[in-house]
Amino acid sequence: MPARRSRARSVFALGVCATVAGGGVALTAPAVAHADPTGCAATFNLLIPGTWETSENADPHQAVGILAPVAEAITAAYGGRAQVYTLPYMARAFDNGHTYADSKDDALSKATAVLTDVASRCTNTKFTITGYSQGADAAGDLASRIGNDHGPVPADRVLAVGLLADPGAGTQGAAIVGPRTSGEGIADPRPQGMGTLSGRVASICDPGDLYCSIRKGDNPILGSLGSILSKTPSANGDTSNADGNAQLATALTSDFSGADLPALGEGVAALRKQLSEPTVDVGAVAATASSIAGTLAPIVDLIDSGVAHAATAQLSAAPVGSPEHSAAQVLSNSGASDLSAALNTVTTIADTAGKLADSGSSTVAGASGDAAQLSAAATTLGGHLAPLTSTPADALSTASTVLSVLKPATVVDQVLNVATGVTALDVPGILNNLTVLPQKVAALDAHGAHQVAGELNNQFAPLVKMAAAVDLRWVSQVLSVIPDPTGYTQIAALVASILGGVDVIRLATLIGQIQEIAWTAVEKLLPPPGQAPDPIGAGAAMVGLLPVGLDLASVAVNMLSGKATKTPPELLGTTTNAATGISTQTENVDLPALTGSLTTMARSPGAEDLTALVGEGLKAASFFTSGAHTNYNSLVVDNAGRNAITWLCDWLNLQIGRSV
């Protein structure tokens, strides 16, 4: 008898649960309900899966993802008396043209509709709500609304709420089960708490899971990004009136929902074949061309944003055959193709064919001028795309899963590294040496020029590496919208903006040339034993150094004056949250004036935390792309040795058992 076995197991679970909750936090259950009307289950158990575990069109009666064992345990214990419903919703994050917040709002809206419907039809049915990751974010918000009398069902009809890896962890009224964490959820605790549901909400978080446990005081940049990106809906293409947060969230969104990389080569071939027919079906041509454009557009976006350049080297280092390595192949071959021209060409084909179809001509003669023009464009298209379409089919098939989330993962990683790198730069030393070096060259001081150029080489090394890997102007725009009371991000944004307008690579090259020429002159003045000094040769070398020194001075003028033009923030608007102490410097974009603040911060204990943040915590570059929080089937949470999933199954069955 399943019910009897479950009841016995539930009694044991209650005892363990009381032990775990110990210290004054008890997970309680409401009173037993009366019989339900015919056709209604005694309990309705809503499960909300995590990111990428479901979709809008999924079967709600099919258990999926990390919560599948929970669904199976409830069904095994109570059968038809406990209806299990796995919510179909967007369940995405920045990879389908919508932000994480758009997806979570979709979950909240659909969960609210389902609960409202069941509650109105089945007046005696009680509810449990369980969510994982993004699903826990939605489930926790739903529980908070219910507990504060703004939800779709009364609080007294909710038996239990289980939150696994909740980005809103730390919400008042949610009982912590399992190991204690030192931080809170990356999306921030819910300010209204759980209200009257307090004591019926259980929250489980692995202390190493950045989704539900991050110390934002120690990690201000990542913490602020998490808060912004978890709450900000997309601007839906209209960024004219959007604030900086919305523009940032939209800028990090890639839409691969209409992309079919494996079919790209077939699509190009099909387009050429359609246009070679004696009678051309212009409607079919428009459809094929539009499909190709839908595949090319998000890849062109990755390349134009600089993400492809920044990410390819790291992706290439992944094991051969992995999705990451496949993505590197696609990006590399995309770089060898002329995708921008291809996208323009195929868009023109689609538009032209569409206009012909709209004019009432469903077909045109293959020998007509219109068909010939379209055919010539299709031939050009094939040439533009040849390197990309030659990519092995298996690589094209697996690359999309990586490419679709590459933009947010890469940009957040860049932001963190640039913030750390800029704070660690010896900006005062660089500015001083850039002032002194041309003077040493003009005075034909070989010793001094060599020494200063050597110092600059060392000071420039991290800057050159940074400039080669990232788009400093883009990163400065991202940094400029991150609220950070410490001032780190605002100073980093300003410095990155100025450096983004300076040809760092050319500066480094000129400094290297000066060092080499000056060393040649020094060797002629101070030759090895047995060789006579050659002051004439040294003088000739130093004279040759003069034009290089003049070139250096002209390239360095922006950094020397501190009046470089700040990159217009078209993408992210003008919203900033600079600390009061640097507001004047912000207005003047005065790099020399900023160096005092930057130096002070770089020597503070907080700078070490910032450096450690990149070094330690971000194998998962950000909360929405992390694969580091999927170990809950092995996280032990109680004295009986149960893992998080088993504990959740037992606890929910215990609460359900009180109502069936």
Side-chain angles (χ1 to χ4, degrees), residues 593-613:
L594 283 171
T595 58
S597 300
L598 191 60
T599 303
T600 300
M601 287 186 170
R603 292 171 180 168
S604 71
E608 296 177 5
D609 293 335
L610 190 61
T611 304
L613 169 64

Side-chain angles (χ1 to χ4, degrees), residues 207-242:
D209 186 345
L210 289 177
Y211 280 68
C212 52
S213 178
I214 181 172
R215 297 176 62 181
K216 292 194 174 184
D218 293 342
N219 303 333
I221 298 176
L222 180 63
S224 295
L225 277 171
S227 299
I228 291 169
L229 298 179
S230 63
K231 293 180 172 63
T232 307
S234 62
N236 293 319
D238 180 13
T239 60
S240 57
N241 295 316

Side-chain angles (χ1 to χ4, degrees), residues 250-322:
T250 300
L252 296 185
T253 302
S254 291
D255 188 1
F256 274 77
S257 59
D260 188 354
L261 276 170
L264 182 59
E266 295 175 2
V268 174
L271 186 63
R272 295 180 67 175
K273 185 175 185 303
Q274 289 169 342
L275 289 167
S276 66
E277 299 289 344
T279 301
V280 176
D281 183 341
V282 289
V285 167
T288 302
S290 295
S291 177
I292 294 171
T295 296
L296 294 179
I299 304 176
V300 170
D301 180 46
L302 286 181
I303 292 172
D304 289 347
S305 70
V307 168
H309 171 70
T312 300
Q314 184 175 355
L315 293 174
S316 299
V320 174
S322 66

Side-chain angles (χ1 to χ4, degrees), residues 356-557:
L356 289 172
D358 291 342
S359 69
S361 304
S362 59
T363 61
V364 298
S368 68
D370 288 332
Q373 183 180 6
L374 291 172
S375 181
T379 300
T380 302
L381 175 68
H384 289 323
L385 293 177
L388 178 57
T389 54
S390 69
T391 307
D394 58 343
L396 290 171
S397 297
T398 59
S400 289
T401 57
V402 175
L403 296 177
S404 62
V405 294
L406 190 61
K407 186 186 283 188
T410 302
V411 171
V412 171
D413 190 47
Q414 286 185 3
V415 167
L416 292 167
N417 278 285
V418 167
T420 303
V422 165
T423 336
L425 283 176
D426 181 10
V427 178
I430 290 174
L431 293 177
N432 179 67
N433 282 334
L434 281 177
T435 304
V436 171
L437 184 55
Q439 297 172 2
K440 297 292 184 183
V441 171
L444 300 181
D445 180 353
H447 289 284
H450 180 262
Q451 180 182 354
V452 174
E455 291 178 4
L456 271 171
N457 259 331
N458 293 330
Q459 292 164 335
F460 257 74
L463 183 55
V464 170
K465 182 179 179 181
M466 190 190 307
V470 304
D471 183 342
L472 287 169
R473 289 171 294 184
W474 156 245
V475 172
S476 74
Q477 292 170 0
V478 176
L479 285 166
S480 71
V481 300
I482 299 176
D484 172 17
T486 68
Y488 271 114
T489 56
Q490 294 308 308
I491 291 180
L494 288 167
V495 174
S497 177
I498 293 171
L499 296 178
V502 174
D503 192 340
V504 172
I505 304 300
R506 188 179 176 199
L507 265 178
T509 301
L510 292 171
I511 292 164
Q513 290 176 356
I514 290 173
Q515 188 178 23
E516 290 179 9
I517 295 172
W519 178 243
T520 300
V522 170
E523 284 187 317
K524 292 182 180 298
L525 290 172
L526 300 171
Q531 295 183 21
D534 182 7
I536 296 176
M542 291 304 293
V543 169
L545 189 59
L546 287 174
V548 183
L550 291 173
D551 207 4
L552 171 74
S554 67
V555 177
V557 67

Side-chain angles (χ1 to χ4, degrees), residues 140-151 153-155 171-172 190-198:
D141 284 7
L142 193 59
S144 180
R145 293 180 185 180
I146 293 171
N148 288 283
D149 299 323
H150 298 297
V153 298
T171 298
Q172 186 175 4
R190 301 163 186 92
Q192 300 303 315
M194 293 303 177
T196 56
L197 278 186
S198 297

